Amino acid sequence: MISHDTKLSASCAAVGVGETPHYRSDPIDAAQLILEASVAALNDAGLSPKDVNGILPPEGYISSEEIAAQLGIDDLRYSATIHMGGASSVAALQSAAMAIATGVADTVLVAFGWDGYTSRPTAPQRPQRASRLPQRPFAELMRNYYAPYGARLAVQWYGFYIQRYMELYDVSPEGALQVALTARAHASLTDGAYLKDKPLTREQYLSSPVIVDPVRRYDCCLETDCAAAVVLTSRERARDLHHHPIIFLGGAEGHPHPADDITNRPDMLQLGLHSAAPRAFQMAELQLSDVDFLQVYDCYSHVVLLQLEALGLTEAGGAADFVVNEGIGLDGSMPVNTHGGLLSHGHGWGMNHVVEAVRQLRHDRGSGQVVGAQVGVVTGYGDLGDGSIAIFGRE
Amino acid sequence: MTERPVDVYQPKSFGLDMDFYLRAAASGQVHVQQCETCANFQHPPRFLCSACASKHLNWQAIQGVGTVYSWSLSHFTIDSAWTDSLPYATVVVESLEGVRFVGTFSGPQNDLTIGLPVNIRVESIGKNFAYIWFDSISETSEENG
């Protein structure tokens, strides 16, 4: 129960966003990318590193103290690391809001970055500093109980619930197809999208190999080396800065139970987002009908469908029909991943979704703009089904 | 029929996970923790009962019967031991006790369907590891009949 003395909703605003390009080439140091994106976000905000007194770093690659040391942040008062995989960036926003709303910090940098392409599973071996790598709380369980049976990759674990979802609800494969095609179409309108100049046709999608039934190659997120960051400050301070303040209206994190084992959940189709979404909407005192776009963590097209249902867009099993009949394009009923998402923009662990949400609400997206956007939702999703959500609105 | 790789990955287990495998390998039967306080069965093994937080947990052999809950049909693998088996199904079965195991279905992949009744058996591999197999019950009956 949130104390009446500390109201999180509308306590702070996103005032700066920054990102690096997405790289798929020579090995890159993730720490350097993270610092570049952080500086870009501060420059975008018109702030100096000396203004920052809260840092939420990614769950590996660089620590808050290293960021502070490198950027000259000399009075760090709040630091925390969110260990929720791809749900971390969005979950971290709630922590940033808590710090600002309580006065523990007034300007918080939330940063993400990694070397996803350089360290992809099929990459040639290269030396890794063990301390740089994120911890995976389910790692031992996966080794003990999934790996002997050939399931070593995320797509193979999610195959367990995607298979069941498709069968129980007779989900049309057209839904995932449209998620993938729409993402690529949105990428074509987005500077910085890795696949901006690579249109994807229905025929290319259908002839692409199946990785884990029914997930095809073009249903899978890209692996890129990249970084992105957002700076938040109090709503009062935000009004003095030059961008239109983008207000944090609500947020939440949620975890399925047990979080570390997909296979022993009472309902394998329940994601962390199912429990987080209602709490975030309650905090914001808003409903989905108030929302103008959704930036949804798209590790796989089918996981987008489940999250649309978790957000309450449709009843269970109804997302594919919504995607096909109502539309998730810029001109559809509910625009989704207006930058192309992890599928076509790049793998920013969802921090690129936060950056996109802020740009949309600033009305800064040119031909990729959701016209008149006032309120937007961002979701995060982490192995093995953790969820997070943030709701932003234009001041 | 799905064959398991000859060089199947054998996890180096510790603690309770090691207990799970040692017990299965020695007895030829899957054992899971059952709570002495509330009778809840749980898998994977935990320090406390996940239903009532009791520390009084006993290992019990399962009956060895369940139904298919789901599976993951891989057409791609990074585990070279499994390359020759592509495409292969990694199957999740819910036992009568209400716990779920990951294993390999011994029958034809096309027979897999949610709710398919199966027997749950283990193949001991050395002292430290046991491989979980699911056998279609009707097939087993025919073999025994």
Side-chain angles (χ1 to χ4, degrees):
Chain A
M1 189 80 174
I2 294 179
S3 155
H4 293 294
D5 293 325
T6 303
K7 195 159 183 285
L8 283 196
S9 182
S11 56
C12 66
V15 293
V17 292
E19 59 185 359
T20 68
H22 290 286
Y23 299 105
R24 284 173 60 92
S25 170
D26 300 324
I28 278 190
D29 178 14
Q32 186 177 329
L33 294 183
I34 293 161
L35 294 168
E36 285 176 18
S38 299
V39 169
L42 287 168
N43 287 341
D44 182 56
L47 292 171
S48 142
K50 298 275 183 273
D51 295 312
V52 175
N53 45 33
I55 300 176
L56 288 130
E59 58 170 331
Y61 312 105
I62 200 168
S63 66
S64 51
E65 290 193 319
E66 227 176 321
I67 293 175
Q70 293 269 6
L71 298 188
I73 294 167
D74 58 5
D75 185 23
L76 185 60
R77 302 177 190 177
Y78 177 69
S79 63
T81 305
I82 309 299
H83 290 273
M84 289 175 67
S88 304
S89 298
V90 174
L93 298 172
Q94 184 181 216
S95 287
M98 286 160 62
I100 295 169
T102 56
V104 167
D106 55 69
T107 302
V108 180
L109 168 69
V110 184
F112 163 75
W114 77 324
D115 56 359
Y117 178 74
T118 297
S119 64
R120 66 203 184 281
T122 51
Q125 284 299 307
R126 72 178 187 106
Q128 289 265 26
R129 268 189 281 179
S131 61
R132 294 288 186 186
L133 298 178
Q135 299 171 42
R136 297 195 306 171
F138 54 87
E140 281 206 35
L141 190 147
M142 188 277 289
R143 278 195 311 106
N144 278 299
Y145 301 112
Y146 304 172
Y149 308 98
R152 291 226 200 211
L153 296 175
V155 62
Q156 293 173 304
W157 312 327
Y158 302 133
F160 295 144
Y161 72 65
I162 293 173
Q163 174 68 40
R164 188 169 165 91
Y165 170 64
M166 301 294 280
E167 193 170 317
L168 284 187
Y169 293 104
D170 195 23
V171 175
S172 166
E174 211 38 49
L177 186 158
Q178 289 300 330
V179 168
L181 293 188
T182 309
R184 192 64 63 93
H186 289 165
S188 75
L189 302 170
T190 305
D191 291 336
Y194 191 80
L195 296 176
K196 179 180 183 192
D197 299 320
K198 288 234 163 85
L200 178 67
T201 67
R202 184 185 177 83
E203 292 66 38
Q204 285 170 317
Y205 173 93
L206 288 172
S207 61
S208 70
V210 174
I211 308 297
V212 172
D213 201 43
V215 181
R216 291 184 181 274
R217 180 181 159 208
Y218 292 120
D219 293 314
C220 298
C221 48
L222 291 170
E223 286 151 334
T224 60
D225 301 335
C226 61
V230 61
V231 177
L232 300 109
T233 192
S234 69
R235 197 170 173 188
E236 295 69 42
R237 183 134 195 236
R239 291 184 186 128
D240 295 335
L241 300 173
H242 58 257
H243 279 299
H244 205 102
I246 306 304
I247 311 296
F248 174 84
L249 298 175
E253 75 177 65
H255 302 255
H257 182 70
D260 64 352
D261 178 17
I262 287 188
T263 60
N264 274 282
R265 293 174 186 162
D267 179 356
M268 203 190 261
L269 305 186
Q270 284 288 299
L271 306 177
L273 187 62
H274 283 91
S275 86
R279 286 185 274 114
F281 281 108
Q282 185 179 35
M283 185 190 287
E285 295 176 350
L286 288 175
Q287 304 174 84
L288 199 54
S289 54
D290 299 314
V291 176
D292 299 306
F293 61 79
L294 306 172
Q295 314 298 355
V296 178
Y297 195 93
D298 49 338
C299 41
Y300 306 101
S301 308
H302 306 76
V303 180
V304 172
L305 299 178
L306 268 170
Q307 288 178 79
L308 294 180
E309 294 169 14
L311 288 168
L313 192 66
T314 76
E315 76 288 358
D321 290 341
F322 181 96
V323 167
V324 171
N325 298 325
E326 308 290 327
I328 54 170
L330 279 178
D331 50 0
S333 286
M334 178 62 87
V336 172
N337 290 351
T338 54
H339 54 329
L342 304 180
L343 294 176
S344 292
H345 185 267
H347 207 318
W349 285 34
M351 184 62 91
N352 49 334
H353 295 41
V354 175
V355 170
E356 173 67 6
V358 170
R359 288 181 176 150
Q360 283 286 350
L361 292 170
R362 285 177 179 173
H363 296 170
D364 197 23
R365 283 286 286 121
S367 57
Q369 181 65 50
V370 174
V371 175
Q374 292 293 321
V375 177
V377 161
V378 192
T379 79
Y381 172 101
D383 296 332
L384 302 168
D386 291 344
S388 55
I389 173 175
I391 305 173
F392 283 102
R394 198 174 149 81
E395 170 74 277
Chain B
M1 266 198 37
T2 300
E3 307 266 326
R4 70 156 175 84
V6 173
D7 295 324
V8 70
Y9 171 74
Q10 296 178 49
K12 279 202 191 56
S13 305
F14 301 97
L16 295 170
D17 301 313
M18 184 167 71
D19 289 345
F20 174 87
Y21 279 118
L22 287 177
R23 211 167 277 270
S27 68
Q29 278 187 289
V30 175
H31 285 67
V32 294
Q33 290 173 321
Q34 184 178 27
C35 177
E36 280 182 47
T37 308
C38 76
N40 180 60
F41 289 97
Q42 64 186 19
H43 180 69
R46 307 279 188 189
F47 289 112
L48 301 179
C49 172
S50 58
C52 75
S54 167
K55 292 200 311 196
H56 303 290
L57 300 163
N58 275 337
W59 290 98
Q60 290 290 337
I62 63 167
Q63 290 183 62
V65 181
T67 56
V68 170
Y69 186 83
S70 193
W71 63 90
S72 184
L73 184 62
S74 294
H75 294 256
F76 171 83
T77 186
I78 57 165
D79 189 336
S80 56
W82 279 91
T83 305
D84 291 342
S85 305
L86 289 169
Y88 60 85
T90 307
V91 182
V92 180
V93 160
E94 179 166 315
S95 74
L96 282 183
E97 293 80 9
V99 297
R100 302 205 195 109
F101 303 99
V102 179
T104 299
F105 180 60
S106 63
Q109 267 168 28
N110 286 343
D111 285 1
L112 279 173
T113 187
I114 294 175
L116 180 76
V118 293
N119 286 321
I120 304 167
R121 85 181 139 90
V122 297
E123 176 195 352
S124 302
I125 299 182
K127 283 207 283 241
N128 297 326
F129 184 61
Y131 193 93
I132 296 178
W133 288 100
F134 307 123
D135 305 314
S136 183
I137 283 179
S138 53
E139 206 176 87
T140 309
S141 310
E142 279 168 30
E143 283 165 17
N144 289 338

